Amino acid sequence: MAFHSPYADMIGARRNDATDEPILTIAWRSEVEGRPGYVHGGIIAGLLEMACYEALILELRASGDEARLKPINVAVDYLRGGVVADTHAVAQIVRVGKRVANVTAICWQDDRSRPIATARMHILLDR
Amino acid sequence: MDRSTSYGGTMPAADIFEHAKRMISGHAGQIGLRYVDHGDDWVDLAFDYKPELAINAETGILASGPIISLIDSACGISIMVKVGQPRPMATLDLRVDYVRAAPPGRSITARGTCYRISRNVAFVRCMAHDGDPDDPVAHALATFFFTGD
């Protein structure tokens, strides 16, 4: 991953190198469980947020920008329950402004065309 | 103190929290979520700071992930408290404003309040703070829908 985070380590999030995209993946473990048999909504939101940071840090770094990122807000839509399987998330940068970046992300399990959640984030760029 | 009589539902409060504890076992156990207090339509849940929950090892600033997990759980359980019994449900959407950073070392408490229940959907708001409810770290709105039955 482009950043080191104790929280990412705790939930087992890692960079997935299957493609060139900045995909983050967490494997199913009992520690990610919310209601029995389903991934906790907070884990899904946390993974979506970290996918946003990952994509944004890479984008900023490519232009030598060392801005510190601070989350302003996040809106998560839950589309399907996250079942006992690996969970992936990847973000797309919508806009990088002077002070604020707009980022969206999707989260899926077996089938990327059937997302289990989407998110929209505003991130403050502290330079 | 027995608060079970304050519910419209049929299930005693203690049983709701017994059920809720199972619901918040896996991930909630990992971040150390605990029950603090509740009323007719609200519940306070909290977790204590630990370095593993930081987004950044150097600053120790809390990641937003544990806060959003706390908020999601507090919102869901506030609905069970208002309904008076556990009902199968899923989060439809959750929007969180991170009002300010949560400095290292402080416990975070979230109050989920279920302000409206319709036939299929429950509407919830939640405020998270690190000691002073008038100086929140996060403010959230969420909707849940009832699954099954």
Side-chain angles (χ1 to χ4, degrees):
Chain A
M1 278 168 64
F3 61 103
H4 171 247
S5 155
Y7 171 72
D9 293 345
M10 191 187 80
I11 66 167
R14 59 180 172 76
R15 176 68 181 269
N16 183 325
D17 293 320
T19 70
D20 289 337
E21 295 169 287
I23 297 173
L24 301 186
T25 295
I26 47 172
W28 170 269
R29 297 178 300 147
S30 64
E31 287 89 353
V32 304
E33 191 170 38
R35 65 193 160 105
Y38 291 91
V39 179
H40 195 287
I43 288 276
I44 293 171
L47 185 67
L48 282 161
E49 286 187 327
M50 283 191 291
C52 291
Y53 300 147
E54 178 80 5
L56 187 55
I57 288 169
L58 292 173
E59 169 106 356
L60 293 174
R61 243 181 229 170
S63 57
D65 192 334
E66 296 284 322
R68 284 186 305 151
L69 310 185
K70 294 179 174 172
I72 300 171
N73 54 34
V74 63
V76 183
D77 281 341
Y78 294 94
L79 309 172
R80 297 177 175 84
V83 296
V84 179
D86 288 1
T87 306
H88 317 281
V90 71
Q92 190 170 19
I93 314 293
V94 177
R95 177 177 186 264
V96 179
K98 258 196 205 149
R99 295 202 178 85
V100 175
N102 302 62
V103 188
T104 62
I106 67 162
C107 179
W108 73 96
Q109 291 187 314
D110 290 340
D111 182 353
R112 190 164 170 172
S113 69
R114 289 173 55 83
I116 64 165
T118 60
R120 211 161 47 81
M121 264 198 110
H122 294 108
I123 300 172
L124 187 72
L125 305 172
D126 191 7
R127 300 190 174 102
Chain B
M1 182 170 144
D2 179 19
R3 292 169 134 142
S4 58
T5 50
S6 64
Y7 295 93
T10 52
M11 201 170 182
D15 291 354
I16 292 174
F17 286 106
E18 210 38 58
H19 179 89
K21 236 190 282 172
R22 280 204 302 279
M23 194 176 103
I24 63 176
S25 58
H27 174 53
Q30 186 180 39
I31 64 174
L33 222 57
R34 56 184 164 80
Y35 161 78
V36 177
D37 198 4
H38 74 277
D40 286 349
D41 61 355
W42 59 267
V43 65
D44 280 356
L45 301 182
F47 66 81
D48 297 326
Y49 181 85
K50 47 183 178 177
E52 302 94 284
L53 300 178
I55 189 68
N56 180 313
E58 283 88 63
T59 63
I61 294 208
L62 202 56
S64 47
I67 297 176
I68 213 166
S69 293
L70 170 74
I71 287 172
D72 188 43
S73 295
C75 288
I77 292 172
S78 76
I79 299 166
M80 295 200 294
V81 164
K82 188 175 171 86
V83 172
Q85 60 187 345
R87 266 185 85 176
M89 61 183 153
T91 316
L92 197 57
D93 83 310
L94 176 61
R95 185 188 178 286
V96 183
D97 283 334
Y98 296 109
V99 181
R100 63 175 173 85
R106 307 183 68 92
S107 300
I108 305 292
T109 302
R111 172 165 300 189
T113 304
C114 177
Y115 63 93
R116 162 84 185 149
I117 287 178
S118 65
R119 192 143 67 102
N120 298 302
V121 180
F123 300 86
V124 187
R125 54 181 162 247
C126 185
M127 197 79 98
H129 64 84
D130 61 352
D132 178 2
D134 292 329
D135 184 20
V137 298
H139 184 200
L141 286 173
T143 53
F144 289 68
F145 71 96
F146 297 115
T147 57
D149 54 51

